[in-house]
Amino acid sequence: MSSTLIDFSNSLADAVERAGKSVVAIVEGGQTGVSGTIWGEGVAVTAAHTLRGRDEASLVLPSGDTTTAKVAGRDPGTDIAALRFSASGTGKAQLTPLQDLKVGHVVLAIGRRPKSGVTASYGIISAIGEGFRTWSGGRIDVGLRLDLSPYRGFSGGTLIDSQGRVIGINTSGPHRSILTIPNTTVDRVVTQLLEKGHIARGYIGVGVQPVEIGEAMQRSAGVKQDAGLLLLMVSAGGPAEKAGLLVGDILLTVNGAAVSDPRDLQAALDSESVGKQLKVTILRGGKPSEMTLTIAERGR
């Protein structure tokens, strides 16, 4: 066997060993269990769906010791949960700068099982895309597509680079694929979960769908926009109703930016927006009008 292949194999094994010092097993009653990652002193993160509504979980640490962790908060939008536990000297995850990632880079999905210890699966990054929002409103900073086969119990474990640094937290994607929550997203979410126990998300109380604005309407209304968002529903007592918005209004702009897709509106309703004013332009009765509403926090 060539020395190059041996060196490559050994380097991957070393990366798994380094990363494994910050990966824990979460005992969920089955023999496989799920995984988690130590994100800071006394703080672990995992995929929120694996906790199944529980307020605490039993962790098997890299040392082999078992401890009980309390759920500090969970965010279904990004599928991230933060747990607090009492243990000193636990390894903290070393993070990969996401801007250094390239298509074709070798990656490994790392997990830990309660009895057999660390597990690893090998693959590459097959595509790197822009950030996106999950169906439940969570903002993912970078879209990563992997050519890598998941294994039982991988959810909540880490995706690492060839140096053993953490790219992000793995969870279940569509069609048995892996969805990796990048480390910048995990950092942002965990900070808020530790402070508040949940992620605040903006709410204005409308239901919308895209609608075309014909050329004749554009000319008569004096607008240069061929699409907007039709208000199908306005919640009673919500910010939109209080500001005077009505069913049938067409939303044209939000804070000066044109909107033609529900995701455009959703992007303006991040956790940082709660309590702030939102300036909107609507089309009503063929005439544009400006309104200002105050963003509320979506109920949990």
Side-chain angles (χ1 to χ4, degrees), residues 133-154:
R133 288 187 177 274
T134 66
W135 66 272
S136 50
R139 175 163 56 92
I140 308 299
D141 297 327
V142 179
L144 297 173
R145 183 178 297 173
L146 309 178
D147 183 6
L148 186 153
S149 298
Y151 47 84
R152 293 185 65 191
F154 82 94

Side-chain angles (χ1 to χ4, degrees), residues 20-88:
K21 295 177 181 178
S22 61
V23 178
V24 301
I26 300 176
V27 182
E28 61 166 5
Q31 293 184 353
T32 302
V34 293
S35 303
T37 303
I38 299 172
W39 211 255
E41 187 67 29
V43 176
V45 297
T46 189
H49 78 272
T50 65
L51 296 174
R52 302 179 183 179
R54 292 176 295 167
D55 294 326
E56 62 179 40
S58 179
L59 305 186
V60 179
L61 303 174
S63 63
D65 296 333
T66 300
T67 187
T68 299
K70 300 288 186 180
V71 177
R74 68 189 86 207
D75 176 35
T78 55
D79 198 24
I80 290 293
L83 304 97
R84 291 189 184 274
F85 63 97
S86 297
S88 59

Side-chain angles (χ1 to χ4, degrees), residues 161-214:
D161 64 15
S162 58
Q163 299 179 53
R165 300 176 301 178
V166 175
I167 297 170
I169 300 300
N170 293 322
T171 185
S172 300
H175 309 298
R176 295 179 59 81
S177 64
I178 290 181
L179 173 63
T180 299
I181 312 301
N183 57 42
T184 53
T185 302
V186 178
D187 257 345
R188 184 182 72 247
V189 170
V190 168
T191 297
Q192 293 185 57
L193 291 180
L194 295 177
E195 290 177 354
K196 300 179 180 180
H198 70 283
I199 303 298
R201 288 201 166 84
Y203 166 80
I204 61 172
V206 297
V208 300
Q209 77 170 28
V211 63
E212 293 184 358
I213 302 172

Side-chain angles (χ1 to χ4, degrees), residues 204-264:
I204 61 172
V206 297
V208 300
Q209 77 170 28
V211 63
E212 293 184 358
I213 302 172
E215 292 183 3
M217 177 65 74
Q218 293 179 50
R219 287 195 298 269
S220 65
V223 299
K224 297 180 179 180
Q225 190 170 327
D226 59 7
L229 295 175
L230 176 66
L231 269 60
L232 301 176
M233 179 272 292
V234 177
S235 296
E241 186 194 56
K242 291 178 180 178
L245 271 69
L246 302 173
V247 171
D249 289 343
I250 297 176
L251 191 60
L252 298 176
T253 69
V254 172
N255 286 339
V259 292
S260 58
D261 187 288
R263 290 172 293 186
D264 298 334

